[in-house]
Amino acid sequence: MSINIKLEIFEGPFELLFHLIEKAKVDIYDIPIAEITDQYIEYLNMMKSLDIDLASEFLVMAATLLEIKSKMLLPKAPKNNEVEEDTDPREELVKKLLEYKAFKKLSLVLKERLNINEKALCKDSSLADEIIDSFALPDKLSIELLIDKFQTLMKRRESYDNRNFGKIYRDNFTVEEKISHILSILATADILYFDDLLINCISKLEAIMTFLAILELIKRRKIYVEQSGNFDKIVVRRR
Amino acid sequence: MDIKKIKATIECLLFVAGDPVSLKDLSSVLEIDQVTLKKIINQLKDDYEDGTRGIKLVEINGSYQLCSKPEFYDFVEKLLKPKAKTGLSQASLETLSIIAYKQPITKSAIDLIRGVKSDACITRLLEKNVIKEVGRMDGPGRPILYGTTDTFLRLFGLKSINELPPLKDFE
Amino acid sequence: MDIKKIKATIECLLFVAGDPVSLKDLSSVLEIDQVTLKKIINQLKDDYEDGTRGIKLVEINGSYQLCSKPEFYDFVEKLLKPKAKTGLSQASLETLSIIAYKQPITKSAIDLIRGVKSDACITRLLEKNVIKEVGRMDGPGRPILYGTTDTFLRLFGLKSINELPPLKDFE
């Protein structure tokens, strides 16, 4: 008997089986297993003769089909216990085929949905970016602002320093020291005023170290600085 | 705030955001409780169904987003030539539908249902961001478990995974 | 095409475009002469003045664009301000995470995953120096490949890219 199928490449053994079952116009619950197995193997041989590589799954299915075929040829074993139900050897295969078929149908429904919905386009959200930009005080800008403010404060300090001429100060402040100082204040207080921090410094060097510490903390993203209005106090907060 | 103004504000917010905005965020910005707000959003959704509107309001996993109506896609394509097509093969769609229904699921469980190896399909679906790794199964080898993403919901026009038609209907 | 459908199409086109679209382009896409189209657009402009609308149609130098109504700005600010800490919108963060996980990756691959054009986000991320060009892909057009920078690692407190949490931890 010759089978009459076009040379089709099947994705997997289930697809091939469906094709054969449809071709034979038989009920999936009552597959003529001998006939379908022969056609299945014939197809594999044809592919082999054409030097087409077949995935190992095709061979596994061939073995399964042959096993079912042989089971169906065997005379039914006499019932000797109740556990051994009279099961159809095709049952497991049919169950799998039906499950696969359900998903196959479903995927067609999904495909339709995809064809429609992938044409619904969202908007480019650059607008949100622009707005966010407008109120995010970028670190670069705030640093310029800080430097400006620092310079004004230093000028004020200079006059203050002159009045205290003659005093001896501790002169060995480090940035790291100032960093832990600022962080220790912010560990208990929610906010800290930039002005107060600098005005309370005893020497110019200490003020510079404090300022550098603030810049470093901004860079490390430990703090952020903000100013609500043009002439408002600059507030330092923990991030 | 009257209902007209609330609707206008929601439209404005969703327009500006571009991305999906959660009911929670809308509720706290508008200072309207989620239940009331949800009713208004549903009304607004209907408003967009009017024939003079070219956009619509979609819900994805409790978030809302404006998007263009698909029926005008041909014009959009003519004007902007966007790259909208997902280009999933039948095999990939099959794999995707198995994952959608059986998630979380391992590769070998998918292979078993399809009767064929699904490695290439899974890679492709991951690339398209329609599925993701959702964890690992206990047991030998701790195989990866796959599930669907919000992108999946959006592309297939689903509010949530529960909106998928029951598998029974296809048996 | 009736006037309702024309209005809907214009809304759809302007929504997806984002940027201003010229009367000339609209006219050729819709196949309607500029004089008639201009009349319809002016009608549409009036439609947006309705109190339930949060967006409006503005004309700039013979081009048209949708934009949000300024009276709702306070709400917009309330919605977006919390996101200002990173200085990146949700969209940019999304783009960034795709690049972080899938690098090296091309713009069109990112677009495909996000389902929306990512040009603006990529420009922004490049400006912020969190991503960079890492090379070009072989093949037609030799598209640019993007990857993350050291600034990215520092910003997100990572020693190396291998320290990124596994994808499943998200969502």
Side-chain angles (χ1 to χ4, degrees):
Chain A
M1 183 201 122
S2 78
I3 51 164
N4 182 25
I5 48 172
K6 282 183 293 168
L7 185 62
E8 276 186 67
I9 304 293
F10 295 97
E11 172 81 20
F14 287 159
E15 281 208 336
L16 173 54
L17 271 179
F18 270 121
H19 178 87
L20 296 173
I21 290 166
E22 259 170 41
K23 201 102 196 138
K25 296 193 174 78
V26 293
D27 183 0
I28 194 161
Y29 290 100
D30 191 18
I31 304 169
I33 214 79
E35 191 185 324
I36 295 290
T37 304
D38 289 348
Q39 292 178 3
Y40 185 95
I41 289 168
E42 199 167 331
Y43 177 83
L44 295 200
N45 286 335
M46 186 171 72
M47 296 308 259
K48 218 168 140 191
S49 66
L50 292 169
D51 257 352
I52 293 168
D53 271 339
L54 278 173
S56 58
E57 292 90 357
F58 283 95
L59 304 174
V60 173
M61 178 59 79
T64 310
L65 288 171
L66 286 170
E67 194 193 341
I68 296 171
K69 185 179 162 187
S70 63
K71 270 190 189 159
M72 303 227 2
L73 290 172
L74 284 176
K76 274 177 192 154
K79 277 184 216 170
N80 44 17
N81 61 53
E82 285 171 37
V83 187
E84 198 72 42
E85 273 297 311
D86 207 11
T87 53
D88 189 326
R90 297 171 296 184
E91 196 184 295
E92 184 63 29
L93 178 66
V94 170
K95 222 176 100 192
K96 275 185 166 178
L97 277 171
L98 286 173
E99 187 180 29
Y100 175 71
K101 199 176 181 184
F103 279 115
K104 208 170 168 57
K105 276 195 212 159
L106 175 73
S107 68
L108 295 174
V109 173
L110 283 183
K111 190 179 186 166
E112 270 168 45
R113 293 195 76 111
L114 177 67
N115 285 343
I116 297 168
N117 287 290
E118 72 180 348
K119 289 178 181 167
L121 303 173
C122 323
K123 185 179 140 289
D124 184 355
S125 52
S126 54
L127 184 58
D129 273 325
E130 274 169 37
I131 293 170
I132 283 173
D133 248 0
S134 72
F135 45 63
L137 197 63
D139 289 347
K140 214 163 102 194
L141 224 169
S142 67
I143 285 166
E144 278 159 14
L145 184 93
L146 279 178
I147 290 171
D148 194 45
K149 185 80 184 165
F150 179 65
Q151 280 166 343
T152 337
L153 284 169
M154 287 314 285
K155 274 191 198 121
R156 217 192 299 167
R157 273 215 65 87
E158 259 161 34
S159 50
Y160 180 75
D161 279 348
N162 289 341
R163 273 185 280 121
N164 290 281
F165 190 74
K167 280 196 178 170
I168 300 162
Y169 330 110
R170 182 183 166 214
D171 232 354
N172 54 349
F173 293 99
T174 66
V175 178
E176 266 324 309
E177 218 171 85
K178 282 295 163 196
I179 285 175
S180 41
H181 174 62
I182 294 166
L183 287 178
S184 72
I185 298 174
L186 285 175
T188 50
D190 283 333
I191 59 162
L192 186 61
Y193 293 109
F194 182 71
D195 294 26
D196 295 352
L197 206 54
L198 290 186
I199 289 293
N200 290 332
C201 294
I202 297 163
S203 68
K204 194 171 177 174
L205 186 75
E206 190 187 353
I208 292 169
M209 289 305 163
T210 305
F211 183 59
L212 288 178
I214 286 182
L215 293 186
E216 184 58 30
L217 284 169
I218 292 170
K219 204 176 127 202
R220 291 188 197 168
R221 304 212 142 228
K222 296 277 189 204
I223 60 166
Y224 63 97
V225 288
E226 58 183 11
Q227 189 183 34
S228 20
N230 250 345
F231 302 102
D232 286 347
K233 276 190 166 182
I234 295 175
V235 174
V236 179
R237 283 179 200 277
R238 206 172 39 234
R239 227 177 231 277
Chain B
M1 212 161 39
D2 67 20
I3 199 151
K4 274 185 141 194
K5 207 185 155 198
I6 296 170
K7 284 182 178 178
T9 314
I10 297 170
E11 180 176 71
C12 179
L13 289 171
L14 295 182
F15 176 80
V16 173
D19 298 310
V21 181
S22 69
L23 182 64
K24 199 172 139 264
D25 281 357
L26 286 174
S27 156
S28 73
V29 167
L30 287 155
E31 290 169 10
I32 295 171
D33 69 281
Q34 296 194 13
V35 178
T36 314
L37 189 59
K38 191 154 182 158
K39 277 185 199 147
I40 299 171
I41 292 175
N42 284 334
Q43 272 183 37
L44 186 57
K45 226 188 245 176
D46 292 341
D47 295 349
Y48 283 108
E49 292 310 311
D50 186 86
T52 63
R53 306 302 310 268
I55 53 177
K56 60 176 185 172
L57 205 166
V58 293
E59 182 179 345
I60 302 156
N61 257 346
S63 287
Y64 299 91
Q65 185 175 28
L66 291 179
C67 67
S68 69
K69 286 190 181 168
E71 58 259 46
F72 302 113
Y73 182 77
D74 290 348
F75 293 102
V76 175
E77 196 168 33
K78 222 164 136 190
L79 180 71
L80 300 166
K81 301 169 183 68
K83 211 176 195 164
K85 297 281 162 59
T86 322
L88 291 175
S89 67
Q90 189 52 42
S92 294
L93 280 167
E94 249 172 63
T95 308
L96 181 58
S97 52
I98 293 168
I99 295 173
Y101 276 91
K102 304 245 165 179
Q103 60 186 308
I105 186 171
T106 63
K107 196 191 80 62
S108 61
I110 300 166
D111 290 353
L112 223 54
I113 293 174
R114 295 191 59 228
V116 64
K117 283 212 187 344
S118 307
D119 301 67
C121 292
I122 289 175
T123 308
R124 195 158 171 76
L125 294 170
L126 283 169
E127 263 170 32
K128 302 270 174 189
N129 200 33
V130 287
I131 63 163
K132 63 182 174 192
E133 296 183 21
V134 291
R136 282 180 181 269
M137 200 166 78
D138 288 335
R142 298 187 33 78
I144 296 166
L145 289 163
Y146 297 97
T148 53
T149 63
D150 281 356
T151 306
F152 164 78
L153 295 177
R154 182 171 57 76
L155 281 174
F156 290 84
L158 301 165
K159 259 191 238 169
S160 78
I161 204 71
N162 303 326
E163 269 201 340
L164 277 172
L167 192 58
K168 282 202 302 284
D169 296 358
F170 298 96
E171 276 162 9
Chain C
M1 213 162 36
D2 66 18
I3 198 150
K4 275 186 142 193
K5 209 186 153 196
I6 297 170
K7 284 182 178 179
T9 314
I10 296 169
E11 180 176 69
C12 177
L13 288 170
L14 295 182
F15 174 81
V16 179
D19 297 321
V21 181
S22 69
L23 183 64
K24 199 173 139 265
D25 285 352
L26 285 175
S27 156
S28 75
V29 166
L30 287 157
E31 292 168 8
I32 295 170
D33 69 281
Q34 296 195 15
V35 178
T36 315
L37 189 60
K38 191 151 183 158
K39 275 184 202 149
I40 299 172
I41 292 176
N42 283 334
Q43 271 183 38
L44 186 58
K45 225 190 248 177
D46 291 341
D47 295 348
Y48 282 109
E49 291 312 311
D50 185 89
T52 62
R53 307 301 311 267
I55 52 179
K56 60 178 185 172
L57 205 166
V58 292
E59 184 180 344
I60 310 150
N61 272 339
S63 287
Y64 298 91
Q65 186 174 24
L66 289 180
C67 64
S68 61
K69 286 190 180 168
E71 58 258 47
F72 302 113
Y73 185 78
D74 289 350
F75 292 102
V76 171
E77 188 174 331
K78 218 168 142 190
L79 178 72
L80 296 178
K81 199 147 191 178
K83 286 160 188 146
K85 271 186 193 164
T86 50
L88 294 172
S89 67
Q90 201 49 44
S92 296
L93 280 173
E94 200 180 292
T95 308
L96 181 59
S97 65
I98 292 168
I99 295 172
Y101 280 93
K102 312 235 166 184
Q103 60 187 306
I105 185 170
T106 64
K107 196 191 82 62
S108 61
I110 300 166
D111 289 354
L112 223 53
I113 292 174
R114 296 191 54 228
V116 58
K117 282 204 297 168
S118 305
D119 301 68
C121 293
I122 289 176
T123 309
R124 202 174 156 71
L125 294 169
L126 284 169
E127 265 170 29
K128 293 235 162 203
N129 198 31
V130 286
I131 63 163
K132 63 181 175 197
E133 296 184 18
V134 290
R136 285 183 179 264
M137 199 165 79
D138 287 334
R142 297 188 35 80
I144 296 166
L145 290 163
Y146 296 97
T148 52
T149 62
D150 287 352
T151 309
F152 165 79
L153 295 177
R154 189 167 49 73
L155 216 57
F156 289 84
L158 300 167
K159 273 196 216 103
S160 83
I161 203 70
N162 304 324
E163 270 197 343
L164 275 173
L167 264 181
K168 65 173 157 85
D169 289 358
F170 290 108
E171 278 181 87

